[in-house]
Amino acid sequence: MDAILGSLTEAELALVREAEPKRLAKLDEDALIDLHTRVRRARNKLVKNYRRRAANRVEETGGRGKAFARNARRRAKAEVFEDLLSTVSTRLAVLALEAAEALRSERLAEAARPTVPPPLPKKLSAQRSDRRPDTPDRRKRHASTRAAGARRQARRDSR
């Protein structure tokens, strides 16, 4: 393993250092997502390079078996990053599960809390359907009409 780590580039080695368990424990979910993305990209790059080189070497060496042995360093680097991705993914899954549980308990607590009804809006005054001015003359005519109707109804009721 140390021989493989010695053959990594500085950028690759920095990713390996970032994914150490002590450093992973300090990262929050967003930082872990960022690290996961970077490790996944590096792993994909190394796997792609390994496969391309292996495919090219088949023709050179005369068979897949011989090409397999000559491509061991690239394969080992890809495996290092595969393990690294697994470690970061596991830690990210743990944090995501904790966040989901916290959110779930928060929502349950919110649902269990008694709700206070919202304050009722102030009662609006009724809209006037009659837009004519309210003059003393008009009030007298209206009262007279209503009284006449009441007298008529009283005569009918007395029959």
Side-chain angles (χ1 to χ4, degrees):
M1 179 72 168
D2 290 333
I4 301 296
L5 293 178
S7 68
L8 296 177
T9 65
E10 192 57 42
E12 293 167 345
L13 199 54
L15 272 176
V16 171
R17 286 187 196 123
E18 269 189 78
E20 290 174 349
K22 289 179 185 177
R23 288 189 179 181
L24 284 180
K26 294 177 184 177
L27 296 178
D28 65 341
E29 192 174 3
D30 291 334
L32 259 176
I33 290 171
D34 179 52
L35 178 63
H36 185 268
T37 303
R38 289 186 291 134
V39 170
R40 189 182 69 244
R41 283 184 181 158
R43 187 267 330 245
N44 289 347
K45 174 188 164 191
L46 290 170
V47 168
K48 180 176 66 175
N49 287 343
Y50 161 68
R51 287 181 178 161
R52 279 186 182 168
R53 187 71 170 172
N56 290 340
R57 291 233 175 173
V58 168
E59 210 171 293
E60 289 174 20
T61 57
R64 283 184 6 205
K66 293 177 186 174
F68 181 82
R70 296 198 55 199
N71 212 12
R73 183 172 156 262
R74 289 180 192 272
R75 183 177 54 255
K77 284 174 74 169
E79 286 177 12
V80 165
F81 276 85
E82 190 69 44
D83 292 340
L84 202 60
L85 183 64
S86 172
T87 304
V88 174
S89 295
T90 303
R91 178 67 182 149
L92 183 59
V94 168
L95 283 184
L97 186 61
E98 289 173 2
E101 286 296 320
L103 183 61
R104 181 175 182 265
S105 63
E106 181 181 312
R107 285 184 178 169
L108 287 175
E110 181 71 29
R113 191 176 317 143
T115 58
V116 177
L120 297 175
K122 293 181 181 177
K123 205 168 197 179
L124 299 175
S125 61
Q127 293 181 345
R128 287 181 48 187
S129 60
D130 187 9
R131 296 270 179 212
R132 291 179 283 188
D134 191 25
T135 60
D137 178 48
R138 187 176 174 288
R139 279 185 293 195
K140 182 180 179 196
R141 275 186 288 136
H142 183 65
S144 176
T145 303
R146 289 185 68 187
R151 284 192 300 269
R152 221 176 310 147
Q153 187 64 45
R155 261 187 263 133
R156 282 187 186 155
D157 289 347
S158 66
R159 291 185 198 165

